[in-house]
Amino acid sequence: MSFFQVKDLGIRFGGVVAVDRVSFEVKRGECYTIIGPNGAGKTTIFNLIGLLYPATSGKIFFQDKELTGLSPHQVADLGIARTFQNIELFEHATVLQNLLIGRHRHRRTALWQELLFTPAVRRAELAQREAVEKVIDFLDLAKYRDSLVAGLPYGVRKVVELGRALATEPRLLLLDEPSSGLNPEETDDMAFWIEDIKRQLGVTVLMVEHDMNLVSRVSDRVLALNMGTVIAEGTPAEVQANPAVIEAYLGKAA
Amino acid sequence: MLQLLLAGVAQGCVYALVALGFVLIYKATETVNFAQGDLMMLGGFFALTASVMLGWPYWATILFAVAAMAAVGMLIERVVLRPVLGQPAFTVVMITIGVGYVLRGVVTMIPGWGTDTYTFPTPFADGTFKFGEVIFAEQQVAVIVMTAALVAVLYVFFRYSKLGVAMQATSQNQLAAAYMGIPVRRVNMMIWGLSAGVAAFAGILLAPATFVHSNMGFIGLKAFPAAVVGGFGSVPGAIVGGLIIGLVEAFAGRYMPEGFKDIAAYVVVLAVLMIKPSGIFGETARKKV
């Protein structure tokens, strides 16, 4: 019985084996990070977990339920949320609206009730709004609440996307390079939030990240990939000291 | 003067509804559905069947035609368009043009429909009433009131309903929408249904004025400028654009030389596009490449 498990996962695009029989397990409540040089297959693994494309081989289990064969929106319904390396927000909506869409899977009212705006709908809307306000407080987004996303600076949009993922109340949060494009100060904030998400909210985090500083700070365990295969697994310090990892990043000494 | 205004608004309402159909599908799927006018025509024939051949009351006719067309719209998405998902927009546009031809052809083949022109009875008939100096045709007032009611319902739907919000989300970012637990494909299908339903409604409103025939869908050629003027992709823009085109036509028909009425819509499009290339309500932000 494992919380989240990837077993022999593989995908090939034509002749390129992007991910080759990768297996790992994420324990409830930990922060598990996947590192690796560019093109190692990290984001591809995320896309496979999100079922954006079907795996060529292997299986994915979440709380002992197999994900293979579901459609992408059902993954969200199970309580898996994700952020993207290049930010995928609803650009022409406000921060508040973006977070409210995160509540989609928690809306239970019927169409006719919504059209008539019955008291039950009003109560439900208030509850959704409260849940969103908690996220806004948590990530300190109050001053951007009604700003249009398209006009916000990159660093803030990154936080909004994190907020939208949190608004879905995930059990497992997938973060694809949370620090990419952030300045050192923003990266520092991001590290605090990831720690708080893990400790305070009790959300399990699966992360892809390049910034080794951030990785060492927040991760419990690290998996190193190169060319689609696993080359090391262990604590951040262990993996960083692993000769195979050093070689993958720096090349072999001549 | 006021008389023309009224006629223009009534005609503009129909343009607005067809334009709305264009915009809904464009926003969600980034393709232009050139069969929109023909969906309206088919809706007109459904209504005609229910009303004349089956003798149903007017309101039941509307419900039937809208529901039937919603089903047709969803079917078209599911059967014809989903298999080409991910193909270039050009492919999809050509397919919708083809769908339009097919619909026109099919209608002429169905016994009882054919190539004839039919009158469409309404409870509003030809009555008029006078208010001050202006003579109101019941017909026109009914069109305006019913359009306003439909727009109000749509507004509430998009603003408050789970499905409506999901449609908006899907139209902005399909990838993100899927990760929020929105079944993107099903929502796209619903959008086609909604769009075809609105088209049927437009067909019913237009039918008393132009009669029902297999080529009534060519009004889509007028609604298209309406959508462009409003800024393709803007729902309020489609309504305003439709009204503008309707009004311009009404006034051009009265004050301009013979024949100008039919090109007035396009003159307006050119003028608007010169001043504001993205349309009146168009979004100024460019799509990032």
Side-chain angles (χ1 to χ4, degrees), chain A residues 4-106:
Chain A
F4 180 80
Q5 191 183 16
V6 168
K7 225 178 190 172
D8 287 329
L9 195 64
I11 186 168
R12 58 170 70 233
F13 299 105
V16 181
V17 182
V19 175
D20 188 16
R21 279 167 294 148
V22 169
S23 299
F24 62 91
E25 226 174 88
V26 181
K27 294 186 195 124
R28 185 192 297 275
E30 76 173 337
C31 175
Y32 191 91
T33 303
I34 303 175
I35 63 165
N38 286 329
K42 308 179 296 290
T43 299
T44 308
I45 290 182
F46 268 28
N47 288 344
L48 289 171
I49 295 172
L51 303 181
L52 279 195
Y53 20 77
T56 320
S57 69
K59 285 177 176 168
I60 304 162
F61 298 93
F62 180 57
Q63 296 184 320
D64 285 331
K65 190 174 165 47
E66 195 180 336
L67 298 191
T68 338
L70 300 181
S71 42
H73 72 270
Q74 289 171 313
V75 175
D77 281 339
L78 287 176
I80 298 179
R82 158 181 196 179
T83 66
F84 294 84
Q85 193 175 344
N86 298 317
I87 307 185
E88 300 285 347
L89 282 166
F90 303 107
E91 295 282 328
H92 304 294
T94 65
V95 169
L96 180 65
Q97 288 167 340
N98 265 276
L99 298 193
L100 280 170
I101 296 172
R103 302 299 300 166
H104 180 86
R105 76 184 187 97
H106 298 284

